[in-house]
Amino acid sequence: MGIKETTSCLVVIAFALSFSSCTSDNSAISNALQKRVSELENRAYKPGFGEFMNTIQLHHSKLWFAADARNWALAQYELDEMKETFEDLRQYVTDRPEVQSIQMIQPALDGIERSVASKDQDQFKSAYILLTNTCNTCHKATKHDYNIIKVPSQPPVTNQQFKLDEVK
């Protein structure tokens, strides 16, 4: 069960708990529901810090190839996915001090956003280099400087077409 599905289940159970607490005869139901909430919380899959970072790295690379091919819609999609993953990281990985440093990436993401919106490839390349350098600055600040990010030289996947005019 994914995070969103588990959260939905917990909301439904919490609602049921609050409803059942209105009547004193339902204490057994309330206790059973509370036990089930605890079980779901313990079983819920919670991605680790590395899973989120791997996802961000994949979108970082695909963002480069999308913009390089001037596929601005795909570039915007990959940027949105990166931003969403950063938000998920902040929400779901609260036990890691590195999460506090993630805010430093926002100005670089804003630069990417502007360059994609204006469909300016030169501006994009500068913004992308800033984004990449900011990733490395964050890695250094959080003692992960062995993880060096760079502008990709090959697409990360071979089953995706980045150029719009090569539809086969």
Side-chain angles (χ1 to χ4, degrees):
M1 185 178 301
I3 292 171
K4 291 181 181 177
E5 291 83 6
T6 300
T7 303
S8 296
C9 286
L10 293 175
V11 168
V12 169
I13 291 172
F15 176 75
L17 278 173
S18 66
F19 180 74
S20 68
S21 66
C22 293
T23 60
S24 59
D25 296 336
N26 291 329
S27 63
I29 293 171
S30 179
N31 288 339
L33 287 172
Q34 185 57 52
K35 181 180 176 189
R36 184 66 179 140
V37 167
S38 296
E39 289 171 1
L40 286 171
E41 287 175 336
N42 290 333
R43 286 188 3 193
Y45 172 71
K46 296 176 186 169
F49 193 81
E51 281 81 9
F52 285 110
M53 285 291 125
N54 284 334
T55 299
I56 290 166
Q57 185 176 1
L58 178 61
H59 292 300
H60 175 267
S61 184
K62 290 171 73 172
L63 172 64
W64 173 261
F65 288 100
D68 188 53
R70 289 182 165 80
N71 186 341
W72 298 111
L74 179 58
Q76 184 64 55
Y77 173 81
E78 295 300 341
L79 175 60
D80 290 344
E81 289 298 305
M82 281 182 70
K83 290 169 24 180
E84 181 180 315
T85 306
F86 277 119
E87 286 304 313
D88 289 346
L89 182 59
R90 285 186 196 104
Q91 181 178 354
Y92 297 113
V93 184
T94 57
D95 61 335
R96 294 281 296 261
E98 297 94 329
V99 174
Q100 300 306 315
S101 298
I102 289 175
Q103 65 192 11
M104 75 170 54
I105 202 77
Q106 194 57 53
L109 291 173
D110 292 343
I112 294 286
E113 183 86 48
R114 286 188 298 276
S115 68
V116 170
S118 66
K119 300 178 181 179
D120 184 326
Q121 200 165 38
D122 290 334
Q123 183 184 3
F124 173 83
K125 287 180 180 181
S126 295
Y128 191 88
I129 290 168
L130 176 62
L131 173 65
T132 304
N133 290 339
T134 304
C135 290
N136 290 321
T137 299
C138 186
H139 292 170
K140 188 173 185 176
T142 60
K143 303 198 182 339
H144 293 88
D145 51 348
Y146 51 84
N147 188 355
I148 302 166
I149 305 302
K150 65 181 194 120
V151 174
S153 56
Q154 295 180 343
V157 294
T158 58
N159 63 342
Q160 182 172 10
Q161 178 178 302
F162 292 92
K163 292 186 179 186
L164 292 173
D165 60 341
E166 292 184 2
V167 177
K168 295 178 180 172

